[in-house]
Amino acid sequence: MGCEVSMTDPVTYRVVHETRYTYSDTVASSRQLAHLRPRTTQWQTVHAHHVNIDPAASEQSEGSDYFGNGVLRFAIDTPHDELTVHAESIVEVHSHVPEIGAGPAWERAVAATGEWGPDDRFDIAQFQLASPMVPSLPEAAEYARVSFPAGRALPAAMLDLTRRIHVDFVYDPKATTVTTEVREVLAHRRGVCQDFAHLMIACLRSLGLAARYVSGYILNRVPSGKSRLAGADASHAWVEGHCPGSGWIAFDPTNGKVADLEFVTLGWGREFSDVTPLRGVVLGSATQKLAVAVSMQPVATKNSS
Amino acid sequence: MAGSSRRHEPHGAADTAPSSILKDLLATYPAAQGRFDELFEAPAKLRPHWAQVMSELTATPATDVRERLAAAERQIRDSGVTYNVYADPQGLDRPWHLDVLPLIIAPDEWREIEAGIIQRAQLFNQVLIDIYGSQSLLKQGLLPPSLIFAQSGFLRPACRMNIPGGVHLHVYAADLARSPDGRWWVMADRTQAPSGAGYALENRLIVSRAFPALYRELGVQHVARFFATMRDSLMHFAPKGDGPTLTVLLTPGPYNETYFEHALLARYLGFPLVEGGDLTVRDGCIWLKTIGGLKRVHAILRRQDDNYCDPLELRSDSALGVAGLTDCARRGTVLVANALGSGIIESGALLGFLPRLAEHLTGQPLRLPSIATWWCGEPAALADALDQVRNLVFKPADPTFPMEPVFGQDLDKAGLVALRKTLAANPERFVAQELVRVSQAPVLDKAHSNRIAARGIGLRVFAVASPDGYVVMPGGLTRVASSANVRVVSMQRGGGSKDTWVMSAGPVDTSFTLLKSTVTAQDLVRARAGIPSRVVENLFWFGRYEERCDDAARLLRLALNQKLQETDDEENSLTPVLALATAFGLLKDDDDPDSILIRAAVSEDHPFGLPANLRALERVAFNLRDRMSLDNWRTINGLIKDPVLNRTASLAETLGWINRTITSMMTLSGFALDGMTRDDGWRFLSIGRRVERLAFQCLTLQTAFEHRIDSGLSWLLSLADSIVTYRSRYLARPEWLPVLDLLVLDGANPRSVMFQTAGIHSALEKLETVYGACGSELFGPALHTLESLDPARDLHPENMRLRDTIDELRSAAFVLNDRFTQRFFNHAHTAARATLGL
């Protein structure tokens, strides 16, 4: 892991995210809501973004959701048997990880809710509460406790939890679906990035900490002799925990590490359902097949050496 | 006031002391014992307005009181007032108990309630503007953010919407109860899609008819203006464009527990009653799918819960909503009443903060307080609540959370421990509320020879937003506990209701009824062209099933009579009749006709039998309840509830039942012929009937042709109800030429092929003037052939021209059905499916 941490220069990526539905019967009409535009943040700049829809949308509009993430809404009113949504983005990412060794004791972060400014507190409060896919679970609190002994600094405790999930849980795309509950993931110790993100959020919230779900992409890097990073062939998900004084710190429980330069952020919410990359309602098909392909590659830029 | 005080004064001091009839009537009426009593102000002393009611009631003999009760009850049953209770084994049509005695409220008392309701409605609207807009109440700490964020009723997609006129809360209802000291308290607020106003209206129509003189004498305020205000205000606030302003009432459908009310309100307000599948989104606007094309919808009075309104942005598992509705509401191209997200106010967690919010937002103290409520999310409040746990009831703060209230007084030691544990784990999810001993009011008690008993009551009061502020319905829905000792007054728990009479301080304004409303020429046009496709499909199938029941009944009667050898027909006709029954699906080849025919007539487990078809007819009629007269419904209900069904029936009983069915089917077609407006809806019903009959006639003739050698022809005439005509024309036994003339070519016989083909053809041509190609070409050539048939040459069973035409018409009937499905009904079947992509 040493080599990733040492990498601190900004990196520019080209991300291609293609979603293809193949329907068993002709779809008469379709309405979709997409979270596919990478978010502009202090550490992330979106240089270009384009979505191509096939068949062409009869109407579409862009806007933003409650959390400030970009959304694209579109409708197709011509009969079709297949839908392809091809999103392509050029994104520049800067390193943004604070000093993990520093920071307040985690108990202080729980008690500190009242010390934040009104706007902060207000924004953070919603990420401390249970949400439909991340209910409050006593067994999650129990699992988390090991990483949170009395007095431990919050960032270090969160990183420890991140690593434990990576070690204790098996990455297994066959084990779960998009609607699998945290309780089952915890019981079976298997899942994918979405499950591990929900699990870690449940752990942090059960201790009274604020945590949010991040949707995005991870670098698809296959150095010789190393296995690919899990989750790189599809869209990825990880977690941000709030730390008084430092703000939101990103952790990737699927890969057991802090999320920094190898990650492109699409957006965040309380859980998966707030930032589902593509959700829709179709009229007229009995079943559908879904194929998702993601590629994320560094591109040479004028600024980089 | 002078006039009113005279009116309210008892007729004399003596009247407040019970007369002997009254004494008998009140013999079992219990003392209030720690409750407020709506009837007595002191032992043996009636409240003044009740003294007047009682003297009226007891001026006539006791039997008369019973007769009035019975009449009111019949009226309720006949008008189909039901309150569907989810998961009720009794099914969807439990008669709803309406007590004939109204709750009566004096004018000065009502003024207080009215002012309090208006203030609450204003306050809630402002809170909604804030929560879904700037959220300054949360930022300033007037509302704890976690209180709002923890509610499933807080809809993030509903934030920062363009709300027409700034009105989130169009219709508001509050559940009131009266404490022992006589004060009214708010038990709960209804803000997303309040039900009950329609029931209040229905109760008023029934109860005011039961006591017309009393109703006038007491100066009861009328409620009609409230509904007119609702209709006009929605139109006022709605965005405009794309034709005349169209408001629809959006219902989850006939299986919803308050569907009757949806139908009633839609009819009363003049709004089309639509389901989610009837609406679609185009160009950022909502449109109603009608057989005449899309019509822009400007306002939606919704009776669906927030979360179910849009599977795209809200609950994706909702099959009820309109995909894209949220975005249309966001753009402000449609008024949604109440605005999406209004349900957040229904959380009991908010109640404790209202006094502070009222001061802050309206500058006034809260006039109509809520019963004491603690939101357990505040540590101090939780401690307070646990201190007096025995006096409180604990409920979920989120009203959609499925949990029965926990009464502290019921808990043993283990129960208390469990409650504490639940609360400690997720305190923000719970509220604790004081228990109120609600007032008792008089009800007529059927179980005790119509004496007067006492029941706990609650009162639901309604307000509607108008351009001049909120207007309160002078009256409301009084709800009655189901037994003398029930702590929760609720319709879903099997309680009943009462009309609510608000006495007038001045003269009653009777100048107004909804019937005098302004209908413009535009409205007329809209009403005609705006029939939702789903309704038209149901009408078409109503026609088909009605005819199919008739066909099945006649065929069964014929077959069973043949078995009985009861006909005066000397010919052997059993073979073709059984062949036809087999082709119709009543028999299978290896069935024993004797037992199966009776089963097909009376038993629902026969898939193509008469009861199965009646069930199908009932289902379609059920979906059309808002468009069919009650007489239709009564007729079908009478058949469905026939005692002969699903029993072991004798042949005689079976034939009696079949005759009843045939009579009822004639009654139904009489209603359609005599009682329905000849609009496109009627046309579809009529085409449905004709198509079904034509197909059956053709099948019958095909069977007869096949068995032309081995049987006589009387059965054909008998099945086509044409024996009488035949005998009056020909004094001979049936022969092919005159029989075929009567059943195929005679354009004056409604059971001839010619009559139905010509009828279908001309009905289709009428539709085509409005909707383009509808399938008249399917029947044109065959009609032409029929007209050109030469009786002498063609009217015999071996003639191929005749037989081909009959074959062609039978398949045309099937093709037309498919065409209609594709052209007019198709989308009604297409289910919306939610999809998720990673």
Side-chain angles (χ1 to χ4, degrees):
Chain A
M1 296 246 256
C3 64
E4 285 98 5
V5 174
S6 71
M7 214 173 69
T8 51
D9 288 340
V11 193
T12 300
Y13 296 105
R14 176 170 172 274
V15 187
V16 177
H17 183 170
E18 190 170 281
T19 311
R20 183 189 307 252
Y21 285 110
T22 312
Y23 305 108
S24 62
D25 296 292
T26 301
V27 164
S29 79
S30 164
R31 304 197 79 82
Q32 303 282 335
L33 181 69
H35 278 96
L36 290 170
R37 174 188 278 280
R39 189 168 175 147
T40 297
T41 68
Q42 281 178 326
W43 71 91
Q44 180 172 289
T45 311
V46 181
H47 291 300
H49 173 71
H50 178 74
V51 177
N52 192 43
I53 300 159
D54 181 34
S58 34
E59 47 189 274
Q60 70 181 78
S61 67
E62 281 208 77
S64 62
D65 69 8
Y66 180 82
F67 302 98
N69 308 306
V71 291
L72 171 68
R73 295 184 174 85
F74 62 89
I76 300 167
D77 288 323
T78 48
H80 56 284
D81 302 313
E82 199 173 88
L83 168 65
T84 308
V85 179
H86 179 99
E88 204 169 321
S89 311
I90 307 290
V91 185
E92 182 181 332
V93 182
H94 294 249
S95 180
H96 55 285
V97 175
E99 188 67 47
I100 292 296
W106 72 271
E107 297 94 329
R108 239 189 61 70
V110 174
T113 353
E115 297 171 25
W116 299 325
D119 278 5
D120 271 354
R121 182 186 70 175
F122 165 70
D123 180 44
I124 290 161
Q126 65 186 321
F127 295 111
Q128 289 176 300
L129 299 164
S131 57
M133 299 179 88
V134 191
S136 97
L137 282 181
E139 52 264 52
E142 200 182 308
Y143 179 80
R145 280 282 167 199
V146 180
S147 299
F148 288 80
R152 189 172 200 175
L154 177 58
M158 289 198 284
L159 182 59
D160 187 69
L161 177 63
T162 307
R163 288 179 172 152
R164 281 178 52 232
I165 293 176
H166 174 59
V167 171
D168 292 347
F169 288 70
V170 179
Y171 186 85
D172 180 358
K174 291 199 182 75
T176 57
T177 69
V178 286
T179 54
T180 300
E181 292 180 12
V182 173
R183 189 191 300 274
E184 295 169 60
V185 175
L186 198 51
H188 300 120
R189 305 263 157 154
R190 285 171 179 272
V192 294
C193 55
Q194 177 196 316
D195 304 311
F196 302 148
H198 280 160
L199 167 65
M200 181 162 168
I201 293 168
C203 288
L204 295 174
R205 288 182 189 164
S206 69
L207 296 173
L209 296 161
R212 63 191 189 191
Y213 181 98
V214 187
S215 160
Y217 310 104
I218 185 170
L219 182 58
N220 184 3
R221 204 149 47 106
V222 195
S224 56
K226 279 199 172 181
S227 61
R228 283 151 54 107
L229 287 173
D233 47 354
S235 61
H236 194 47
W238 58 95
V239 174
E240 287 181 353
H242 192 265
C243 178
S246 319
W248 296 96
I249 310 177
F251 299 93
D252 179 11
T254 306
N255 293 293
K257 59 197 272 188
V258 170
D260 195 22
L261 282 169
E262 297 165 292
F263 293 75
V264 166
T265 300
L266 275 171
W268 55 72
R270 295 164 303 155
E271 55 176 37
F272 170 73
S273 72
D274 284 336
V275 282
T276 310
L278 193 62
R279 65 185 278 183
V281 175
V282 297
L283 283 181
S285 171
T287 57
Q288 73 249 339
K289 261 199 328 228
L290 168 67
V292 178
V294 168
S295 89
M296 170 169 160
Q297 298 297 335
V299 291
T301 59
K302 289 167 210 150
N303 295 341
S304 61
S305 50
Chain B
M1 282 304 285
S4 75
S5 66
R6 186 181 50 77
R7 195 183 299 122
H8 297 146
E9 208 159 300
H11 293 154
D15 286 7
T16 53
S19 70
S20 62
I21 300 175
L22 185 56
K23 262 189 188 137
D24 175 57
L25 210 54
L26 292 169
T28 54
Y29 191 84
Q33 285 182 333
R35 298 172 165 217
F36 184 86
D37 192 321
E38 302 286 346
L39 182 61
F40 286 101
E41 60 183 21
K45 188 163 188 289
L46 293 167
R47 293 187 188 278
H49 46 264
W50 273 110
Q52 196 176 343
V53 174
M54 287 303 172
S55 68
E56 218 295 323
L57 208 60
T58 51
T60 47
T63 49
D64 201 36
V65 179
R66 282 196 199 99
E67 181 41 42
R68 279 184 193 179
L69 170 71
E73 283 211 331
R74 268 197 304 277
Q75 206 173 352
I76 295 165
R77 209 178 38 243
D78 291 352
S79 59
V81 181
T82 60
Y83 191 84
N84 299 343
V85 177
Y86 290 115
D88 176 4
Q90 287 186 54
L92 292 164
D93 290 304
R94 176 150 75 182
W96 186 52
H97 308 291
L98 166 57
D99 182 57
V100 293
L101 295 176
L103 175 72
I104 305 173
I105 300 178
D108 43 350
E109 194 176 351
W110 180 254
R111 264 194 302 275
E112 267 309 299
I113 293 176
E114 187 180 32
I117 291 292
I118 290 174
Q119 187 201 29
R120 279 180 93 93
Q122 281 169 344
L123 176 61
F124 289 141
N125 193 54
Q126 280 178 277
V127 171
L128 286 169
I129 290 174
D130 187 89
I131 291 176
Y132 288 107
S134 67
Q135 300 187 329
S136 65
L137 294 175
L138 282 67
K139 290 173 185 165
Q140 292 167 25
L142 283 154
L143 274 177
S146 52
L147 187 158
I148 299 301
F149 292 141
Q151 307 298 325
S152 68
F154 175 59
L155 300 188
R156 286 169 176 79
C159 287
R160 296 183 291 272
M161 283 187 162
N162 189 356
I163 300 290
V167 182
H168 286 252
L169 191 62
H170 288 270
V171 186
Y172 164 64
D175 286 336
L176 308 182
R178 206 203 278 266
S179 59
D181 64 359
R183 289 189 66 186
W184 289 98
W185 300 82
V186 177
M187 312 283 285
D189 299 282
R190 306 284 164 201
T191 53
Q192 52 177 329
S195 65
Y199 287 120
L201 174 66
E202 183 74 2
N203 287 356
R204 172 57 55 87
L205 297 178
I206 295 170
V207 174
S208 62
R209 249 177 261 156
F211 304 107
L214 199 55
Y215 180 70
R216 249 191 336 273
E217 275 168 32
L218 283 176
V220 178
Q221 293 194 44
H222 293 202
V223 298
R225 187 189 292 278
F226 175 82
F227 294 95
T229 306
M230 183 188 295
R231 184 200 57 203
D232 295 346
S233 301
L234 289 173
M235 190 175 276
H236 169 88
F237 288 117
K240 305 290 183 285
D242 300 308
T245 307
L246 174 59
T247 306
V248 296
L249 195 151
L250 178 63
T251 172
Y255 292 92
N256 183 270
E257 53 175 7
T258 59
Y259 183 75
F260 171 85
E261 186 185 33
H262 307 169
L264 181 82
L265 274 179
R267 201 153 36 179
Y268 197 63
L269 294 166
F271 299 161
L273 182 65
V274 305
E275 295 174 24
D278 298 332
L279 301 178
T280 187
V281 175
R282 291 277 189 294
D283 302 323
C285 300
I286 298 285
W287 304 81
L288 173 63
K289 296 187 263 195
T290 75
I291 49 168
L294 297 179
K295 300 267 179 280
R296 166 90 186 267
V297 172
H298 302 83
I300 298 174
L301 180 58
R302 68 176 167 109
R303 294 301 291 272
Q304 284 184 0
D305 283 353
D306 273 334
N307 258 317
Y308 288 90
C309 284
D310 181 357
L312 184 62
E313 293 207 38
L314 306 171
R315 272 184 82 133
S316 57
D317 59 347
S318 164
L320 303 172
V322 186
L325 174 63
T326 311
D327 199 41
C328 295
R330 185 177 290 121
R331 295 163 186 240
T333 60
V334 68
L335 177 154
V336 181
N338 291 336
L340 294 173
S342 308
I344 180 86
I345 300 292
E346 296 184 2
S347 163
L350 222 61
L351 296 178
F353 297 87
L354 290 184
R356 204 155 43 141
L357 289 173
E359 295 280 356
H360 179 77
L361 289 171
T362 70
Q364 303 274 328
L366 195 62
R367 299 186 69 145
L368 189 57
S370 317
I371 55 165
T373 307
W374 292 263
W375 177 52
C376 301
E378 286 189 316
L382 176 61
D384 212 17
L386 286 174
D387 278 349
Q388 43 185 321
V389 64
R390 296 258 170 235
N391 305 324
L392 302 180
V393 54
F394 291 81
K395 302 177 184 173
D398 187 335
T400 64
F401 189 74
M403 179 191 128
E404 288 290 305
V406 176
F407 293 88
Q409 57 187 225
D410 295 350
L411 298 176
D412 57 11
K413 246 189 185 147
L416 272 176
V417 171
L419 176 67
R420 278 173 191 277
K421 207 173 149 196
T422 311
L423 293 174
N426 294 293
E428 74 279 354
R429 295 233 189 127
F430 298 93
V431 295
Q433 259 180 351
E434 206 172 53
L435 279 174
V436 172
R437 288 184 65 82
V438 302
S439 62
Q440 69 175 30
V443 296
L444 272 175
D445 188 354
K446 276 177 292 173
H448 295 92
S449 36
N450 291 335
R451 287 209 170 83
I452 291 181
R455 291 279 183 279
I457 55 139
L459 170 60
R460 181 169 287 191
V461 184
F462 303 88
V464 62
S466 85
D468 308 318
Y470 283 94
V471 173
V472 179
M473 179 202 291
L477 184 67
T478 299
R479 307 198 300 167
V480 183
S482 55
S483 72
N485 190 17
V486 165
R487 287 175 296 198
V488 183
V489 182
S490 155
M491 303 286 270
Q492 274 204 358
R493 281 164 210 275
S497 79
K498 282 171 168 292
D499 189 15
T500 309
W501 288 8
V502 172
M503 292 161 72
S504 176
V508 177
D509 179 5
T510 55
S511 64
F512 180 81
T513 86
L514 255 192
L515 301 173
K516 274 199 208 157
S517 68
T518 46
V519 177
T520 67
Q522 275 180 329
D523 294 328
L524 294 175
V525 172
R526 190 180 68 205
R528 218 185 308 147
I531 309 177
S533 307
R534 177 183 45 82
V535 171
V536 167
E537 175 172 23
N538 280 315
L539 286 166
F540 179 76
W541 278 101
F542 185 85
R544 289 200 62 175
Y545 280 125
E546 185 195 333
E547 182 63 29
R548 195 174 294 177
C549 290
D550 188 62
D551 295 340
R554 285 173 192 277
L555 180 54
L556 283 164
R557 179 165 70 178
L558 182 66
L560 289 167
N561 273 334
Q562 297 274 348
K563 296 297 293 178
L564 272 180
Q565 297 291 317
E566 240 184 30
T567 51
D568 48 4
D569 184 0
E570 68 273 27
E571 309 148 337
N572 170 22
S573 302
L574 194 56
T575 316
V577 169
L578 292 183
L580 183 58
T582 308
F584 195 83
L586 295 173
L587 287 178
K588 285 201 286 284
D589 285 333
D590 51 353
D591 275 346
D592 162 33
D594 285 346
S595 61
I596 300 298
L597 285 174
I598 289 188
R599 211 186 110 212
V602 300
S603 170
E604 249 180 281
D605 63 5
H606 189 298
F608 304 103
L610 180 56
N613 280 313
L614 282 170
R615 275 286 170 207
L617 178 66
E618 185 209 18
R619 239 183 348 262
V620 178
F622 185 68
N623 290 327
L624 286 167
R625 268 200 302 190
D626 63 312
R627 302 187 71 91
M628 297 229 129
S629 83
L630 295 169
D631 299 317
N632 279 290
W633 193 237
R634 248 196 304 271
T635 305
I636 295 170
N637 255 339
L639 286 176
I640 292 289
K641 303 214 161 88
D642 198 286
V644 84
L645 283 177
N646 299 318
R647 302 250 174 85
T648 318
S650 70
L651 194 55
E653 283 170 335
T654 307
L655 285 170
W657 149 249
I658 291 175
N659 287 336
R660 285 197 292 284
T661 308
I662 292 172
T663 311
S664 294
M665 289 305 127
M666 293 186 93
T667 308
L668 283 183
S669 60
F671 291 148
L673 200 66
D674 205 39
M676 273 182 81
T677 314
R678 298 297 194 267
D679 61 5
D680 288 342
W682 177 83
R683 213 151 274 133
F684 275 88
L685 185 149
S686 157
I687 291 174
R689 256 203 32 240
R690 285 170 179 275
V691 162
E692 186 72 28
R693 180 175 289 186
L694 179 64
F696 183 67
Q697 285 167 333
C698 291
L699 178 67
T700 307
L701 287 167
Q702 286 170 332
T703 311
F705 293 158
E706 227 162 90
H707 295 268
R708 61 191 175 277
I709 311 293
D710 54 14
S711 69
L713 296 175
S714 294
W715 70 275
L716 260 180
L717 291 172
S718 157
L719 195 55
D721 203 15
S722 300
I723 285 203
V724 177
T725 315
Y726 188 88
R727 290 204 176 135
S728 69
R729 288 187 191 175
Y730 313 102
L731 291 167
R733 64 189 289 266
E735 291 167 15
W736 279 109
L737 176 63
V739 166
L740 287 178
D741 182 57
L742 187 58
L743 298 189
V744 178
L745 288 192
D746 189 343
N749 178 9
R751 289 181 187 269
S752 79
V753 173
M754 175 70 93
F755 184 96
Q756 295 305 339
T757 307
I760 293 170
H761 188 254
S762 96
L764 289 173
E765 280 187 330
K766 274 214 183 73
L767 286 179
E768 282 170 353
T769 58
V770 183
Y771 305 112
C774 289
S776 68
E777 79 282 0
L778 292 170
F779 296 88
L783 184 59
H784 188 75
T785 316
L786 284 177
E787 281 163 350
S788 70
L789 286 181
D790 171 15
R793 191 188 61 208
D794 298 322
L795 285 190
H796 58 87
E798 263 110 31
N799 183 279
M800 285 321 286
R801 220 168 144 225
L802 173 66
R803 293 178 65 153
D804 288 348
T805 310
I806 298 298
D807 292 350
E808 185 188 330
L809 280 169
R810 182 150 176 252
S811 41
F814 293 124
V815 174
L816 181 69
N817 186 66
D818 293 349
R819 287 270 184 94
F820 269 25
T821 303
Q822 267 164 16
R823 172 81 171 71
F824 295 110
F825 315 145
N826 205 13
H827 56 75
H829 289 292
T830 338
R833 291 173 42 83
T835 62
L836 291 178
L838 297 165

